[in-house]
């Protein structure tokens, strides 16, 4: 199923080979092109507290950072995440996980995130920016009804202790 | 060309940004091609939304349930996109002509455009272009442009139009000036005329009673017309006789009656699991596709074809099945090539510590630190001739010597370097103050300035980096990310040798 999507780079380069009529065939679901656009908008928008950039020469693997929002227990902490884009992107959600260990009710020890928009609520409209912003707000507003990390969910009630634990266990 | 299109508008035209954004498909972020509207009035490229619906039967914008049957064409959006694209190109041409950051931009733009407005220059200024458009749009002045033939044929069309009640045809005829606008001013008359001819043929076909009117068109004997039934080029005088014989052939009538505008019928979805391999091969053959490869590859190929084909069915001028098949196969080939050569530049093993990995990264960065500045210089050099030639085909921008396989990676480079250049032009001021904290060891000023440009919007972050020891390694890390274009270049070169 994942392969239904035309490979972006492929589409783009065929267009290049053909000499390419402007725009026309370019809209053939090209993933690289979309990722480039996302990168551009992300950098131009200058959102505070989030950033992302391709990890190396592979445009399908990015590293992102999220700063804990103010007035949350994560304030002042910066978390690194990895984003992997499947070939079915944007029809399929990217695989996002925390690289920096994160003590949070909806994040497990391996860094996997339980977030609806990364699973069944994914829509092709979401981009890296909206993902990172969603995760940022998830940090401050966990869904304690379906915790991945039950210890964190129980401790959440006690914000003071939670903050102390987060800060003591934080390793950048 | 793609990037010339993609590249953001020059600073002087930021006012058009909203229009630009509105005309883009939210899925592929490109200009909408073959716009389709959902029940909930959201617009997408035909191909994008069809692919999307193959994953999930929901509108990606509002999550309300949607099926492919609910999709409707939104042709005005298509027209808007084409006209906006040409306008945009001309506008950016004009602003390219003027020095980019000169304080006298308005005056110089005027200076550039006025001489062109007078003569029939190739790349006419916007003003003159719009003026011409106005002329063309009004039928009463059509004579000024096309000599006698177009006038005759125009009356022919208009009569045909009134006879044929078909709304689409009216639309076609009305749209023709807009379509013709895409050509350059000089060729416009030719293009205009050609377009009219095509319309004549279609109007003839749709309303055979109009053939008597069409008989007037024997003014220009040389012109060949495409027969609307069998698509063979026929001299204009002969077209009626040919049409008669063509139409009497029984099997053609059927295809004519279905609808001239869209003779292709969308293909149904297949349940591939229930198909035998032979059946699958037969279907692929029917679609002009290759039957080579393992089963899942065949399935994927067929699925891709169905998506592309159904998307083309929504177009007014659909590509032929053969063309689509060719594209699908070319894409597949390209994808296989890409997968084959995708090899990581740095290889890490599981049991390496983070420090070791960081060290490998920094070594790599040191080795290739000059590559990035070289790349920036290269792009700058390329940008200059591009400004002069105005329209450089994409292949030229990318150096011609590159083998096709590496094209994709060059695209990435191009994209990134354009990103760099753009951030640069957007924030020429903040650049200066940010240079200090990030300047990487032993590299040239061009690197540091472009790096700082990228992270320019968030200066407070630099402060954080330089203050706290644990995060101090971030700036070089960012530089590494930033340096990915050179990694690419090097990787590619290595591959070539």
């Amino acid at each position: 199923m994942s392969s239904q999507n035309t490979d972006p780079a492929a589409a783009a380069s065929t267009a290049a080979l053909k000499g390419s009529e402007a725009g026309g065939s370019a809209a053939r679901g090209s993933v690289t092109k979309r990722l480039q656009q996302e990168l551009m908008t992300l950098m131009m928008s200058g959102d505070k507290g989030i950033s992302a950039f391709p990890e190396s020469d592979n445009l399908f693997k990015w590293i992102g950072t999220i700063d804990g929002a103010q007035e949350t227990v994560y304030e002042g902490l910066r978390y690194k995440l990895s984003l992997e884009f499947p070939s079915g992107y944007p029809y399929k959600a990217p695989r996002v996980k925390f690289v920096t260990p994160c003590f949070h009710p909806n994040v497990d020890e391996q860094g996997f995130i339980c977030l609806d928009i990364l699973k069944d609520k994914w829509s092709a409209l979401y981009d890296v920016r909206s993902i990172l912003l969603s995760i940022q707000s998830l940090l401050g507003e966990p869904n304690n009804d379906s915790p991945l990390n039950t210890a964190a969910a129980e401790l959440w009630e006690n914000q003071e202790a939670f903050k102390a634990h987060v800060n003591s266990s934080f390793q950048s | 060309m793609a990037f010339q299109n993609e590249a953001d508008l020059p600073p002087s035209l930021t006012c058009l940004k909203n229009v630009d954004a509105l005309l883009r498909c939210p899925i592929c972020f490109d200009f909408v091609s073959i716009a389709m509207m959902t029940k909930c009035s959201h617009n997408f490229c035909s191909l994008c939304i069809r692919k999307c619906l193959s994953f999930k039967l929901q509108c990606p914008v509002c999550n309300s349930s949607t099926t492919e049957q609910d999709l409707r064409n939104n042709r005005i959006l298509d027209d808007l996109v084409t006209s906006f694209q040409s306008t945009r190109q001309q506008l950016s041409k004009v602003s390219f002509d003027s020095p980019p950051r000169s304080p006298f931009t308005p005056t110089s733009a005027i200076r550039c455009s006025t001489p062109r407005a007078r003569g029939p220059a190739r790349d006419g200024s916007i003003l003159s272009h719009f003026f011409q458009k106005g002329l063309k749009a009004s039928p009463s002045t059509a004579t000024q442009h096309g000599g006698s033939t177009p006038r005759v044929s125009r009356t022919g069309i208009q009569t045909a139009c009134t006879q044929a009640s078909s709304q689409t045809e009216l639309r076609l005829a009305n749209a023709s000036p807009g379509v013709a606008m895409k050509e350059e001013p000089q060729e416009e008359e030719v293009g205009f005329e050609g377009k009219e001819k095509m319309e004549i043929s279609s109007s003839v076909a749709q309303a055979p009673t109009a053939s008597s009117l069409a008989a007037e068109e024997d003014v220009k004997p040389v012109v060949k017309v495409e027969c609307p039934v069998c698509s063979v080029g026929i001299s204009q005088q002969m077209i009626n006789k040919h049409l008669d014989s063509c139409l009497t052939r029984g099997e053609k009538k059927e295809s004519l009656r279905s609808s001239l505008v869209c003779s292709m019928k969308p293909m149904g979805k297949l349940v591939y699991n229930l198909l035998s391999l032979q059946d699958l091969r037969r279907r692929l053959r029917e679609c002009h596709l290759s039957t080579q490869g393992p089963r899942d590859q065949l399935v994927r190929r067929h699925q891709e074809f169905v998506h592309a084909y159904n998307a083309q069915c929504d177009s007014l001028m659909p590509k032929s099945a053969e063309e689509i098949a060719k594209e699908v196969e070319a894409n597949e080939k390209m994808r296989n090539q890409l997968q084959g050569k995708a090899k990581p530049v740095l290889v890490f093993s599981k049991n390496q510590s983070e420090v070791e990995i960081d060290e490998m990264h920094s070594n790599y960065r040191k080795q290739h630190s000059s590559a990035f500045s070289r790349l920036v210089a290269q792009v700058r050099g390329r940008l200059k001739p591009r400004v002069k030639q105005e329209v450089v085909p994409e292949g030229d921008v990318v150096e011609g010597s590159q083998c096709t396989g590496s094209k994709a990676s060059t695209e990435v480079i191009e994209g990134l370097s354009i990103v760099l250049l753009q951030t640069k032009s957007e924030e020429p001021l903040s650049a200066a103050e940010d240079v200090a904290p990030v300047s990487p060891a032993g590299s040239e000023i061009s690197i540091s300035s472009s790096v700082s440009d990228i992270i320019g919007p968030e200066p407070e972050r630099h402060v954080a980096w330089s203050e706290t020891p644990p995060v101090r390694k971030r700036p070089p890390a960012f530089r590494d990310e930033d340096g990915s274009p050179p990694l690419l270049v090097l990787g590619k070169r290595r591959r070539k040798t």
Side-chain angles (χ1 to χ4, degrees):
Chain A
M1 266 305 238
S2 71
S3 46
Q4 284 193 330
N5 193 17
T6 35
D7 189 287
S13 23
T14 27
L17 288 175
K18 273 191 295 178
S20 92
E21 59 266 64
S25 65
R28 310 188 71 258
S30 70
V31 188
T32 15
K33 216 159 163 195
R34 174 167 156 148
L35 286 172
Q36 281 167 0
Q37 291 257 16
E38 283 191 28
L39 184 57
M40 206 131 84
T41 42
L42 193 71
M43 289 186 348
M44 308 289 257
S45 68
D47 288 301
K48 278 193 190 138
I50 59 164
S51 72
F53 208 88
E55 190 179 49
S56 60
D57 62 343
N58 185 0
L59 198 57
F60 287 78
K61 220 171 164 190
W62 291 27
I63 290 284
T65 66
I66 292 180
D67 292 347
Q70 282 181 353
E71 288 166 30
T72 67
V73 290
Y74 298 95
E75 186 176 350
L77 302 177
R78 168 167 296 171
Y79 290 93
K80 236 194 205 183
L81 297 97
S82 74
L83 297 98
E84 264 182 70
F85 300 93
S87 66
Y89 184 80
Y91 308 105
K92 288 196 152 186
R95 289 179 288 275
V96 185
K97 60 178 276 197
F98 275 96
V99 176
T100 316
C102 178
F103 184 72
H104 185 276
N106 303 113
V107 179
D108 72 4
E109 273 124 53
Q110 279 84 48
F112 292 106
I113 305 163
C114 177
L115 183 59
D116 56 352
I117 64 153
L118 293 177
K119 303 276 154 32
D120 53 322
K121 290 278 160 50
W122 170 256
S123 152
L125 254 66
Y126 296 133
D127 57 0
V128 175
R129 194 174 155 267
S130 54
I131 292 170
L132 292 181
L133 288 174
S134 307
I135 295 176
Q136 195 183 33
S137 68
L138 179 76
L139 284 182
E141 294 155 32
N143 176 8
N144 280 319
D145 296 334
S146 65
L148 274 179
N149 184 341
T150 44
E154 280 160 21
L155 195 61
W156 182 258
E157 300 298 316
N158 185 351
Q159 288 281 295
E160 288 287 311
F162 197 96
K163 184 163 189 178
H165 189 273
V166 165
N167 276 313
S168 66
S169 63
F170 182 78
Q171 29 183 293
S172 68
Chain B
M1 181 73 87
F3 271 106
Q4 231 164 358
N5 260 349
E6 289 328 296
D8 252 22
L9 291 156
S12 54
L13 295 174
T14 38
C15 48
L16 284 178
K17 239 183 180 151
N18 272 339
V19 188
D20 183 272
L22 287 172
L23 292 177
R24 283 177 188 272
C25 164
I27 296 176
C28 63
F29 293 4
D30 211 328
F31 284 117
V32 173
S33 101
I34 318 179
M36 296 303 271
M37 188 158 74
T38 57
K39 269 197 293 192
C40 40
S41 332
H42 297 115
N43 292 283
F44 309 92
C45 299
S46 181
L47 187 59
C48 291
I49 186 65
R50 281 172 191 282
K51 274 187 185 168
C52 214
L53 291 177
S54 76
F55 284 88
K56 208 191 217 179
L57 288 173
Q58 274 182 352
C59 166
V61 176
C62 61
N63 285 346
S64 63
S65 68
T66 309
T67 61
E68 286 197 49
Q69 283 77 40
D70 296 331
L71 299 175
R72 292 288 174 271
N73 276 103
N74 193 357
R75 302 231 192 261
I76 193 158
L77 204 55
D78 288 333
D79 295 346
L80 272 172
V81 166
T82 34
S83 64
F84 178 71
Q85 272 179 317
S86 60
T87 314
R88 190 182 198 264
Q89 226 156 27
Q90 281 157 25
L91 284 173
S92 48
K93 248 189 238 170
V94 172
S95 52
F96 258 136
D97 286 349
S98 59
R101 243 172 271 163
S102 130
F104 301 110
T105 311
T107 26
S108 52
I110 291 166
R111 184 175 50 75
C112 283
S113 56
T114 26
R116 285 212 193 98
R118 264 183 242 130
R122 259 197 120 62
D123 39 353
S125 78
I126 335 150
L127 270 182
S128 67
H129 223 99
F130 276 124
F131 182 56
Q132 283 177 2
K133 192 176 186 175
L135 281 180
K136 278 210 164 28
S138 61
S140 58
T141 47
T143 34
Q144 297 181 10
H145 286 270
S148 58
T149 326
R151 198 180 66 81
V152 174
S153 46
R154 191 159 249 289
T155 45
I157 280 187
Q158 279 168 348
T159 343
C161 279
T162 46
Q163 286 182 348
S165 56
S166 153
Q167 188 69 28
T168 15
E169 209 184 8
L170 257 174
R171 238 204 91 268
L172 248 180
N174 287 337
S176 74
V179 179
M181 279 307 293
K182 277 193 292 188
E183 267 117 327
E184 303 214 302
Q186 284 174 329
E187 294 149 15
E188 228 161 26
E189 276 148 40
V190 186
F192 189 53
E193 220 173 283
K195 192 74 200 168
E196 299 244 295
K197 292 278 140 58
M198 276 178 59
E199 268 155 34
I200 290 163
S201 52
S202 66
S203 61
V204 167
Q206 206 152 31
T209 42
S211 55
S212 59
L213 284 160
E216 293 176 28
E217 313 156 18
D218 47 8
V219 190
K220 231 181 199 172
V222 231
V223 184
K224 281 206 166 185
V225 183
E226 196 175 282
C227 169
V229 183
C230 62
S231 321
V232 175
I234 306 287
S235 90
Q236 219 177 350
Q237 294 145 305
M238 304 299 286
I239 186 71
N240 284 322
K241 274 185 196 163
H242 172 86
L243 254 181
D244 287 342
S245 62
C246 233
L247 284 168
T248 46
R249 264 185 286 161
E251 76 273 16
K252 292 286 178 190
K253 266 185 188 163
E254 189 51 45
S255 67
L256 251 184
R257 217 167 270 144
S258 63
S259 154
L260 245 191
V261 178
C262 177
S263 56
M264 285 159 67
K265 279 215 179 90
M267 296 167 78
K269 293 262 141 67
L270 293 176
V271 183
Y272 293 101
N273 285 334
L274 296 180
L275 280 183
S276 71
L277 198 59
Q278 282 142 344
D279 224 8
L280 188 59
R281 290 225 170 93
R282 183 178 54 79
R283 283 181 191 271
L284 282 167
R285 257 194 302 275
E286 278 168 12
C287 304
H288 316 277
L289 288 165
S290 135
T291 54
Q292 301 292 313
R295 188 188 166 98
D296 52 343
Q297 202 178 342
L298 299 184
V299 169
R300 184 198 306 178
R301 195 179 293 152
H302 193 263
Q303 273 176 332
E304 224 168 89
F305 178 85
V306 171
H307 285 306
Y309 187 90
N310 288 353
Q312 283 300 320
C313 289
D314 300 327
S315 172
L316 273 178
M317 284 170 284
K319 289 179 188 158
S320 69
E322 286 90 343
E323 252 177 294
I324 299 169
K326 236 181 248 168
E327 263 174 46
V328 167
E329 286 189 352
N331 281 345
E332 191 181 323
K333 217 167 151 190
M334 209 59 85
R335 189 174 46 225
N336 288 344
Q337 274 179 4
L338 266 178
Q339 271 168 2
K341 68 161 197 187
K343 217 170 49 184
V345 182
L346 293 173
V347 185
F348 305 107
S349 60
K350 250 185 191 168
N351 42 19
Q352 270 172 313
S353 74
E354 215 172 304
V355 185
E356 282 174 322
I357 292 174
D358 274 352
E359 202 176 327
M360 278 174 78
H361 272 299
S362 70
N363 279 342
Y364 190 88
R365 253 172 268 134
K366 264 176 219 151
Q367 273 173 30
H368 302 299
S369 60
S370 63
F372 190 59
S373 54
R374 212 183 314 139
L375 189 81
V376 170
Q378 238 178 44
V379 171
R380 284 220 182 97
R382 252 187 269 152
L383 211 64
K384 267 174 218 156
R386 197 200 286 188
V387 171
K388 279 188 191 119
Q389 294 163 17
E390 292 181 338
V391 184
V392 184
E394 197 172 11
D396 290 3
V397 179
V398 176
E399 287 125 72
S401 61
Q402 272 149 6
C403 56
T404 51
S406 63
K407 270 257 162 76
S409 49
T410 350
E411 291 248 335
V412 181
I413 303 175
E414 288 248 308
L416 293 176
S417 40
I418 282 176
V419 167
L420 297 182
L421 290 169
Q422 266 164 4
T423 20
K424 190 158 249 169
S425 61
E426 290 265 317
E427 303 187 45
L429 290 177
S430 66
E433 45 193 64
D434 293 335
V435 172
V438 246
S439 63
S443 58
E444 291 155 45
I445 193 84
S446 62
I447 299 180
S448 50
S449 69
S450 36
V451 171
S452 59
D453 276 348
I454 291 177
I455 31 189
E458 294 152 286
E460 62 281 310
R461 203 191 288 169
H462 299 309
V463 181
W465 287 348
S466 41
E467 271 170 12
T468 48
V471 271
R472 181 161 283 172
K473 62 176 191 243
R474 283 299 296 154
F478 215 101
R479 213 195 75 62
D480 163 52
E481 292 155 0
D482 200 8
S484 56
L487 307 194
L488 270 173
V489 167
L490 291 164
K492 191 177 59 214
R493 281 195 190 132
R494 204 168 32 212
R495 255 174 253 127
K496 244 200 286 188
T497 49

